[in-house]
Amino acid sequence: MSDIAPSNFSLSSRTGGVRIERVALGAMVRVTLAPGRRDIEAGLEAAFAASWPASPNHVMAADPAIYWFGPGDWLVQTATTRSEVVAARLSDLIPADGGSAVAVGDGHVGYDIGGRDAAALLASACPLDLDRFASGRSARTLFAGANVLLHRRDDEAFRLLSDRTLGAFLQDFFAAALREFS
Amino acid sequence: MTRFATGGRIDRAQPLRFRFNGRALHGYAGDTLASALLASGIHFVGRSFKYHRPRGIVSAGHDEPNALVQIAGAQGEPNTRATVLELTEGLAATSQNAWPSLAFDAGALIDALHPLFPAGFYYKTMIRPNWHVFEPSIRRAAGLGVAPAGIDPDLYVQRYAHCDVLVVGGGPAGLMAAQAAAESGARVVLADENGDLGGTLLWREAVAEGLAAGAFAAQATAQLRGRSNVTILTRTQATGLYDGNYALLCERPAAPGGGRPALRLWKVRARQIVLATGLHERPLVFPNNDRPGILLASAALKYRNHYAVGVGARLVAFINNDMGAADALALHRSGVTVAAVIDIRDADGTATGAALAGAGIAYRPGSVIRDTAGRRRVRSVQVCGLDGGGSQWIACDAVIMSGGFSPAVHLFCQAGGKLRFDESAAMFLPDRAPDGVRTAGGLNGAFGLDAAFAQGAEAGAAAAMDCGFQAPSQRTPIAAGKSPAQNIAPLWRVDVAGATKRQWVDFQNDVTDKDIGLAAREGYTSVEQLKRYTTTGMGTDQGKTSNVNAIAILGLRTQRTPQAVGTTTYRPPYTPLTFGTFAGQARGLLQKPMYRLPTHDMQAQEGAVFLEAGRWQRPDFYPRPGEAREDAVRREMRETRGGVGLFDASSLGKLLVSGRDAGRFLDHVYINRASNLAQGRVRYGLMASEHGIALDDGVFARLGEHQYLVSPSSGMTGAVFAHMQEWLRCEWPSWQVAVQNVTPQWATLAVAGPKARALLTALGTDIDLDAKSFAHMSFRDGRVGAWRARVFRVSFTGETQFEINVPAAFGPALWRELRNAGRPWNAVPLGLEALLRLRIEKGYIHVGSDSDGTTTPDDLGFSQWRSKDFDFIGRRSLLRPEAQREGRHQLVGLVGTDPAFRMPVGAHILPRIGARPPATAQGRVTSSCISDALGQSVALGLLASGRARLGETVELYFGGGTFQARVVKPVFLDPENQRLV
Amino acid sequence: MFLIPCPHCGERAQMEFSCGGEAVIVRPASAASDEAWADYLFGRANPKGWHYERWCHVHGCGEWFNLLRHTVTHAIRGPFAIRDAAPKVPQ
């Protein structure tokens, strides 16, 4: 099936220093709360317990993985449950007058960028200080001018999320940026 | 033979062949083009910019004014400085600014006519008829190199980097700064323009810590390379320092090609910066000082020691300071014979004269060079006393000069540093440094290794400590011998009897001391005016060797000190950069992130010609074989009006607005009401800015009691989202509203036309499509084909239209099903151009095209807001007298008198029929098309008091011609909306 | 060029932010005079020196906040909450 960003997209440098693969993100639900609804947030924290990211710019990377996106703004991602189910579970915790939880899995693309040159490749177009970006951290930032969320999974493994509409652009940019490492 | 058999840092085991102006020559790995040319006895490498005078190599670094060459081939580059260009096998370079050849240049005739071309001559003589008549031939005569015509095949990359301490310059001061900062634990980036760290340690003889200078540099380099917290960037020129200690460094990696980039632009964010950029030697300004073979003393020494090249067999030195004397002596001792040293200073009993005389060099204190001879290479100099007496010609084949030194303050000043002129050192020195910037070594006017080591170490340690690191425990290295002293006596120009020939200040721009005098006489006494009037300090070298001389001479002419004259503003880049450097990977389609529709690939298969519309790549039109754009667009319009058209409308924004105060919030965001909209219904809304100006329009739907879906126009989604967030966060923070941009989640495929309903029925849906149960401006959830979908009944075409929303991944499959189901009615893909023309026929506005930054909702015909009795964004501004006044430009329709003439967008409406420019425009055409459906030429436009002028015929002006149109209501097709049912 | 301290994300590159102009401009009630309204729309301090202004981490977490920024040196103090009055200007 024709798609804007082929799901089998995969690139690696000849020297093996960096490998980029599109990942299937599974179900994703974006949770957005009205400001001041600490009550709802407390409910979410209680329901998800330790897997709810307590501080900004962190990811709880279990299943579901929960990304802090901004104040009152999270992304819940799981490969094991359908998004309708996740959205329904979250909607139960979020009264309609205080925010929303909607499926957004189709609106995103994700790439795993790994290898010893992974950080250098990202640094070709991302202004973040990756030396000070520890495992488990996430950040919404820019890559090649595109809004992305970057998540450091470990020293040499990053995951980059962005809008599906930018998938083709990002893949072309990855291919161009990779030339330096081959 | 000018290459010495031993010594230098060249690799004699790696000979390289190259061509210069077609002549086959050879050099070695480690040579620059300049050193290889000098090794072949070639000084004369180019012609000057204005007078086409023969010019030679002046420097041995990035400050070179003369030796600019053109590199041949696809990777060709103009204006390349031969003094920094590394020699490579097969390099082919040519001189610039010479035709037909360097030796016989037709343009040199200009030099004979030079009295006709003083500074600013073209400002004075080429006024009539106007400058543009003369410009092309002047540019040809005075041009520099030629830009390569083809696509640059090289790889350009960029890299962000972050550090605690950035050290610029890897000479003795920079090395110590990097070591000290690294020792303390700071993250250090050390950048140096050369292939090896060490700076002058690599070619000035000295002993440090008991090691020869070169060995000491190698040891220090090895120590730094051994540290994990240090990044060493060699072959890297720092070209810009910006606010917040943000630096641009330009790296030319070794051996580009095969995946290796030709250039890497480093964008470095440093908490602290140590500048150890050294100094540039200054030429002396004396008559005929521009002949090939006349070069800087330090450059001659660098050619000798770094490249094992003697710049001549018999040199004369002209100096005004002891550093130049020392370099002359060092050259002489190393086998480059210096016949005489001409020193403008009086014999004052210092050791200088004795040392030179002891080495067998004729020393002439209290003397100047009054003239030189030699057309393509200097062959003699005329020396005389300061009183003009005792004149004597001395034969030579090269002249080395030292007129003092100018610290390389460029980056320091770019960062906001302030300078002071030190009269005794005759140099502009860093005075007040901006926060987080330190200076060390030659940049501070320090001569000698001890000072460089000490200042570097101190600056590096202090920078690290300012980042919170502990003071390093490192000991500062000790250099052997006494630190040299400059003992300069400035000589800004030769002013003795008989000094009649032109004295060149700026070699690259052919500016003489007389030109500066002329500028001063004509009142261009500000240094910035001087630069622009005479062009001194412009060009590829930006006056690195010439500026201070020019400033001092302007000072002499206007009785001011150099401090009082001041310097021109130092701006990035420090050295020239190519466009590729800035572009990096962002070439072609990668220039900026472009959004693609979910069905992009399918549209490509349909034969779409794509268009950049804002951030989106969208199908503009779908040409059939033999069809021009206009034909295709009009066919798409006809077939949609007559049958059914399909388009991917996914670029329309989708903002989910949720929360208790969502309705109240939208009541404030739109000029019309949102909170009284029934669930399941859709409404058209117009937003205004707080200034009362139309901001965007679109539809919004009520999904639930506390939830709305807002659909901004394609190009405005990000802006509207930001607008909403700003108001929520900054003005109404207690309102319970959450906004989410869910645009990328959905594929929105639109079916428009009289057969739209039939097509959807054929595709199969459980939604009752009957117009009574599913009316225009409402939505339904249900199954469409194989998918669960949300279907909106809205229209931008003026036809019955369904917009089917499915998750983006299903977009392509749904498109295919729509195409199949549409076969019986010849459903066509509808491009953006046809869509935009269909909406013109219907009078649907496009905010930003049919409005501008002064257009209010009232001007566009939207006055519903007047019935709203409460606040909304922009309301109070709409009540201001300006928004209410008579004569505002209002939206109208225009029907062209000639039905086949498309009224040009931007055509001005004249104040009356028969009027001609200059005249105050009464308005303009904002969008237009030929309507096949109506057999008319129609347009939307803004017209002063337009709504009161319906029926009037107006005359319009565009590009020299005029045409007429009738003013009508801004709707041409189906004003009763019968087609929307 | 400079770094902006986001209340949630810490110091980030300026390119991730957008500036919303002078902070704490009070929006008058609709009954305000034309003059008062015009001053609200157009009147700005535009100082040479410390300027209290609001920023949005638009390419990051999306938060709005206030900063003190020196318009000559680009020295920055903050962040401050969006409703906070301007703090005392640093010496």
Side-chain angles (χ1 to χ4, degrees), chain B residues 403-472:
Chain B
F405 296 83
S406 301
V409 296
H410 309 66
L411 293 167
F412 174 80
C413 291
Q414 286 176 20
K418 301 292 178 218
L419 304 177
R420 68 181 167 86
F421 188 78
D422 184 310
E423 290 284 348
S424 68
M427 54 176 71
F428 282 100
L429 288 173
D431 188 16
R432 271 172 296 130
D435 279 353
V437 175
R438 288 178 173 77
T439 57
L443 172 59
N444 284 342
F447 294 99
L449 285 185
D450 277 335
F453 288 155
Q455 291 183 10
E458 187 188 337
M465 286 160 69
D466 272 6
C467 296
F469 294 92
Q470 294 294 315

Side-chain angles (χ1 to χ4, degrees), chain A residues 80-173:
Chain A
T80 55
T81 318
R82 289 194 311 127
S83 48
E84 293 83 352
V85 177
V86 186
R89 182 181 169 201
L90 285 159
S91 291
D92 287 346
L93 297 165
I94 302 170
D97 70 348
S100 62
V102 291
V104 292
D106 280 291
H108 286 82
V109 282
Y111 299 92
D112 276 350
I113 301 157
R116 63 178 183 278
D117 291 332
L121 180 126
L122 288 167
S124 70
C126 175
L128 217 57
D129 184 352
L130 297 172
D131 291 348
R132 301 282 181 270
F133 188 61
S135 295
R137 291 289 300 272
S138 72
R140 287 170 78 192
T141 180
L142 292 167
F143 178 79
N147 288 312
V148 299
L149 179 136
L150 192 64
H151 168 206
R152 188 166 210 157
R153 292 148 67 83
D154 66 44
D155 256 16
E156 295 187 352
F158 296 85
R159 178 164 290 179
L160 181 145
L161 303 181
S162 189
D163 287 351
R164 173 196 195 86
T165 46
L166 288 171
F169 168 81
L170 287 169
Q171 290 174 189
D172 289 347
F173 196 93

Side-chain angles (χ1 to χ4, degrees), chain B residues 728-754:
Chain B
L728 280 172
R729 299 283 177 173
C730 300
E731 192 60 34
W732 303 308
S734 63
W735 292 15
Q736 290 201 14
V737 183
V739 186
Q740 250 195 59
N741 184 354
V742 296
T743 310
Q745 168 74 10
W746 301 99
T748 304
L749 303 187
V751 184

Side-chain angles (χ1 to χ4, degrees), chain B residues 486-508:
Chain B
Q486 192 190 191
N487 295 324
I488 187 170
L491 171 76
W492 300 116
R493 54 188 285 273
V494 168
D495 189 15
V496 300
T500 54
K501 304 291 172 48
R502 280 175 288 171
Q503 305 189 26
W504 303 90
V505 178
D506 184 331
F507 297 125
Q508 186 169 103

Side-chain angles (χ1 to χ4, degrees), chain B residues 62-66 68 81 144 280 410 505-509 535-547 573-576:
Chain B
H62 61 243
D63 48 344
E64 176 62 30
N66 279 345
L68 303 181
R81 291 151 295 160
L144 290 169
H280 297 128
H410 309 66
V505 178
D506 184 331
F507 297 125
Q508 186 169 103
N509 295 292
T535 70
T536 191
M538 292 190 178
T540 64
D541 68 333
Q542 288 287 299
K544 288 183 181 62
T545 52
S546 62
N547 275 347
Y574 174 56
T575 53

